[in-house]
Amino acid sequence: MNKKMNLKKIKKINLNIFNNKSFLIFLISLFLIGLIIGIIFFKFLDSNDISKIKDNVNNSLTLPTNYNYLNNLFLNLKDNISLNLFIFILGISVIGILLILFLYFSEAFSLGFCLASLVNTYKIKGIIASFCYLFPGKILYLLNIFLLTFFSVKFSFKLIQYIFLKKDTNLQEEFKKYVKKILICIAISIVIAFISVFIDPFLIKLWTSIK
């Protein structure tokens, strides 16, 4: 009797955590935590590390004279589509939730670290540099990561419910919906690749002219 009651409580807690509104709040909170930790982590670096990071920041915001649009487009498409497919595969596994959330957190941490690096390197002008870094490609990329995380974790959770909690779910229909959502994310990532290659360099040139 107690076991049945405990199982019902676990189901109820899980459903509360993974309903759309609660899960959206959780993902936004996790992103903000990762962002803040990334910024704080930068503050603990020593002067030698900061000096190296400044050099890397300057290099990353300088467009090479031999910039190859087609080659960079191919590399961006390959990386973006590969990431989408990797998260898709994680979403159809019962252990995928933790890995997906870790990748999502890592993106937020990386963003916080990069923004702190830009502000530290360029001071007040770092705000403009951050805009050039984020808009529009990086913002769309992060939005796509958010959607991928949301869709894949939700499906992975439904899979866990179906296997371990014996919830009556039309898994085949849910999988079809999941595939369609991932295809939308892949389409978005293709658009992001074109923006990153053909629009972001214009903003880098703009930044180079004013820094």
Side-chain angles (χ1 to χ4, degrees):
M1 183 69 179
N2 288 333
K3 287 184 178 180
K4 288 183 178 181
M5 289 179 66
N6 289 334
L7 186 59
K8 286 181 179 179
K9 287 181 180 179
I10 291 171
K11 288 181 179 180
K12 186 176 181 180
I13 291 170
N14 285 335
L15 288 172
N16 286 336
I17 292 172
F18 285 92
N19 69 50
N20 287 346
K21 185 178 180 180
S22 297
F23 189 48
L24 280 172
I25 293 172
F26 169 75
L27 285 182
I28 292 170
S29 301
L30 183 63
F31 187 88
L32 291 174
I33 291 169
L35 185 72
I36 292 168
I37 291 176
I39 294 171
I40 293 172
F41 182 79
F42 181 85
K43 299 296 183 181
F44 287 95
L45 297 177
D46 59 37
S47 57
N48 290 331
D49 290 330
I50 290 176
S51 178
K52 290 177 183 177
I53 289 169
K54 283 184 177 180
D55 291 336
N56 290 332
V57 168
N58 282 318
N59 291 333
S60 64
L61 286 178
T62 302
L63 195 66
T65 53
N66 59 341
Y67 186 79
N68 189 320
Y69 286 92
L70 289 178
N71 184 55
N72 279 283
L73 177 61
F74 172 77
L75 291 174
N76 270 269
L77 286 170
K78 184 184 73 171
D79 291 343
N80 288 359
I81 293 173
S82 297
L83 178 62
N84 278 259
L85 293 176
F86 179 62
I87 294 177
F88 167 74
I89 291 170
L90 290 177
I92 58 177
S93 66
V94 295
I95 62 170
I97 289 180
L98 292 178
L99 290 173
I100 294 166
L101 291 176
F102 175 76
L103 288 173
Y104 177 75
F105 177 85
S106 299
E107 290 288 348
F109 176 89
S110 176
L111 176 63
F113 186 84
C114 288
L115 293 179
S117 303
L118 288 168
V119 173
N120 181 269
T121 302
Y122 300 114
K123 308 307 177 188
I124 298 298
K125 287 185 177 180
I127 298 173
I128 302 173
S130 298
F131 175 81
C132 294
Y133 171 73
L134 288 172
F135 186 83
K138 190 67 175 179
I139 289 177
L140 290 174
Y141 172 81
L142 292 170
L143 175 62
N144 198 46
I145 289 292
F146 180 86
L147 293 174
L148 280 167
T149 302
F150 183 84
F151 296 143
S152 56
V153 170
K154 290 282 286 185
F155 181 78
S156 184
F157 176 68
K158 288 176 181 178
L159 185 63
I160 290 171
Q161 282 186 312
Y162 180 79
I163 295 173
F164 298 106
L165 302 179
K166 308 302 179 184
K167 184 181 177 183
D168 186 18
T169 303
N170 189 339
L171 201 60
Q172 187 175 5
E173 186 63 29
E174 291 295 336
F175 181 74
K176 288 179 181 178
K177 291 178 183 178
Y178 177 52
V179 170
K180 289 178 182 178
K181 291 170 182 176
I182 295 299
L183 288 175
I184 291 172
C185 289
I186 290 175
I188 294 173
S189 69
I190 291 172
V191 173
I192 292 169
F194 278 88
I195 290 173
S196 298
V197 172
F198 294 104
I199 296 179
D200 287 357
F202 170 77
L203 293 173
I204 291 175
K205 287 180 181 178
L206 178 64
W207 163 250
T208 303
S209 66
I210 64 174
K211 72 176 180 178

